[in-house]
Amino acid sequence: MSLFSQTHFEEDGQEQPAVGYWKPLTLSKGSKKEPETGCQNAGSGDDSQSTEQRNVSRLRSSSVEIREKGSEFLKEELHKAQKELKLKDKECERLSKVREQLEQELEELTASLFEIDMLQAEVTALKTLVITSTPSSPNWELHPQLQSPSKAVFRKGHGRNKSTSSAIVTAISQSATPAPVSRECKEIDSILFAEFQSWKESPTLDKSCSFLDRIYREDVGPCLDFTKQELSELVRVAVEQNTLTIEPVASQMLPVVKVSAEDSGGPKKCALSGLPRTCKHRIMLGDSGNYYYISPSCRARITAVCNFFTYIRYIQQGLVRQDVELMYWEVMRLRREMSLAKLGFYPTEM
């Protein structure tokens, strides 16, 4: 009997396994697919997760790359901006220096133009004084203070007049009485005229030249030779350097004495002659602040010398536009004024 027939009996037409016999376990088709389906589901979940992770990883790497590139781009732009700012700073600094230089040049140019204007005005004024108001032909409208006391009102106090400016004033007042030079009989001294012509070609204030040497010996020296020798020398130096000041003294003004009374004199004593005289003027040498009272005669001698030096300075500066012969006669007239003053002649209105 076969094994198959021994293992079961037929009951109700169906085969039944025999009890006590082992039958190999076989899996049905459905039971075989279940574990396979489970494995497939697990595998597909892992694949999905790995794909998502890969996508996330790619996104992260892409974002990092974008950030790095953006950072590099921003750094480059920042570097460019910094370079442009540095260039602009340098340009601003250069333009600032150019502006400062232009402002300085403009200021210097303005100052130069102002100085030129002042010099031109001064030259014009000097020409007016020399040409239109010479001592031999004064212009009374330009100098109302030269009028007689009956026409001019005396002002209280005093005014300061440097030798260059007061020279012409005094000369005009002194030359009011004599007749005009053009009406006098005159004849040119050939030696004096030759000396003046030689000096006129190259005018100088050096007294070693023959023209000035003669005038110093014959006129300037004797005219400024006073009793007080030491003060006389100081006066001569101040006249040559154009630093002497002559000013009137008001009758009610108290004397300002900065040196001893014996040296400075006073309203009733002349400091140059030492004689008791009524002193209506006083002098100051330079900016020393020391005043010396002088008599009318001493004032006439000092102003006569100042007039001469003023005129030759004008010639030296090219401010006198006259013929050489006319300038020569003006010099001779000024020499005559010095000669009269040193002999004691002076207008009574002084």
Side-chain angles (χ1 to χ4, degrees), residues 18-64:
V19 179
Y21 286 90
W22 175 84
K23 184 180 181 179
L25 181 62
T26 59
L27 297 177
S28 64
K29 189 182 270 186
S31 64
K32 289 181 181 179
K33 291 182 179 179
E34 288 179 0
E36 291 178 358
T37 305
C39 292
Q40 289 178 355
N41 290 336
S44 113
D46 292 339
D47 292 341
S48 303
Q49 186 176 4
S50 61
T51 302
E52 184 178 356
Q53 289 178 352
R54 284 195 299 270
N55 293 335
V56 171
S57 177
R58 282 197 296 270
L59 289 174
R60 288 179 179 176
S61 61
S62 299
S63 63
V64 171

Side-chain angles (χ1 to χ4, degrees), residues 106-163:
L106 180 61
E107 184 178 355
E108 293 176 355
L109 179 60
T110 303
S112 301
L113 292 175
F114 179 75
E115 291 178 359
I116 291 174
D117 291 340
M118 292 297 293
L119 289 175
Q120 288 179 347
E122 184 177 354
V123 169
T124 302
L126 291 175
K127 287 182 177 179
T128 303
L129 288 175
V130 175
I131 299 175
T132 66
S133 182
T134 60
S136 60
S137 179
N139 189 331
W140 300 103
E141 294 181 358
L142 293 176
H143 305 285
Q145 71 275 17
L146 301 179
Q147 298 178 7
S148 60
S150 60
K151 297 181 180 180
V153 179
F154 180 77
R155 294 178 298 174
K156 293 183 179 181
H158 61 273
R160 294 172 60 85
N161 296 311
K162 290 291 183 180
S163 57

Side-chain angles (χ1 to χ4, degrees), residues 50-289:
S50 61
T51 302
E52 184 178 356
Q53 289 178 352
R54 284 195 299 270
N55 293 335
V56 171
S57 177
R58 282 197 296 270
L59 289 174
R60 288 179 179 176
S61 61
S62 299
S63 63
V64 171
E65 184 179 359
I66 291 172
R67 283 199 300 269
E68 290 178 354
K69 290 183 178 180
S71 177
E72 292 178 359
F73 176 76
L74 292 176
K75 287 181 181 179
E76 291 179 358
E77 292 296 322
L78 178 62
H79 184 65
K80 290 180 180 179
Q82 289 177 345
K83 289 179 66 176
E84 291 179 358
L85 287 176
K86 288 183 180 179
L87 293 176
K88 289 182 178 179
D89 290 339
K90 290 182 179 180
E91 183 68 14
C92 290
E93 185 178 357
R94 186 184 68 83
L95 292 176
S96 177
K97 291 181 179 179
V98 171
R99 185 187 66 181
E100 292 178 358
Q101 184 178 358
L102 290 176
E103 289 178 352
Q104 183 178 1
E105 292 178 356
L106 180 61
E107 184 178 355
E108 293 176 355
L109 179 60
T110 303
S112 301
L113 292 175
F114 179 75
E115 291 178 359
I116 291 174
D117 291 340
M118 292 297 293
L119 289 175
Q120 288 179 347
E122 184 177 354
V123 169
T124 302
L126 291 175
K127 287 182 177 179
T128 303
L129 288 175
V130 175
I131 299 175
T132 66
S133 182
T134 60
S136 60
S137 179
N139 189 331
W140 300 103
E141 294 181 358
L142 293 176
H143 305 285
Q145 71 275 17
L146 301 179
Q147 298 178 7
S148 60
S150 60
K151 297 181 180 180
V153 179
F154 180 77
R155 294 178 298 174
K156 293 183 179 181
H158 61 273
R160 294 172 60 85
N161 296 311
K162 290 291 183 180
S163 57
T164 52
S165 59
S166 63
I168 296 179
V169 173
T170 307
I172 295 174
S173 61
Q174 290 178 340
S175 63
T177 302
V181 176
S182 60
R183 297 180 182 178
E184 293 180 353
C185 297
K186 55 188 179 182
E187 182 178 351
I188 293 179
D189 184 285
S190 59
I191 297 177
L192 298 179
F193 188 65
E195 291 176 351
F196 176 75
Q197 281 185 313
S198 177
W199 175 83
K200 178 63 175 60
E201 293 177 357
S202 180
T204 177
L205 297 179
D206 186 5
K207 58 184 178 182
S208 62
C209 65
S210 58
F211 169 68
L212 290 181
D213 178 66
R214 178 188 295 275
I215 296 177
Y216 263 93
R217 287 185 290 102
E218 297 179 359
D219 302 310
V220 175
C223 202
L224 297 181
D225 185 17
F226 301 102
T227 303
K228 303 294 183 178
Q229 293 294 319
E230 183 177 354
L231 183 57
S232 299
E233 180 63 20
L234 294 177
V235 169
R236 183 188 64 79
V237 173
V239 170
E240 292 176 351
Q241 296 179 353
N242 193 26
T243 58
L244 183 139
T245 303
I246 302 177
E247 60 184 28
V249 180
S251 58
Q252 72 275 14
M253 187 181 68
L254 296 176
V256 179
V257 179
K258 294 189 178 182
V259 293
S260 62
E262 183 179 357
D263 295 335
S264 64
K268 298 296 182 181
K269 182 180 179 181
C270 179
L272 287 170
S273 65
L275 299 175
R277 296 287 187 272
T278 300
C279 300
K280 298 181 180 180
H281 294 82
R282 63 182 184 177
I283 61 174
M284 184 174 67
L285 309 178
D287 296 327
S288 62

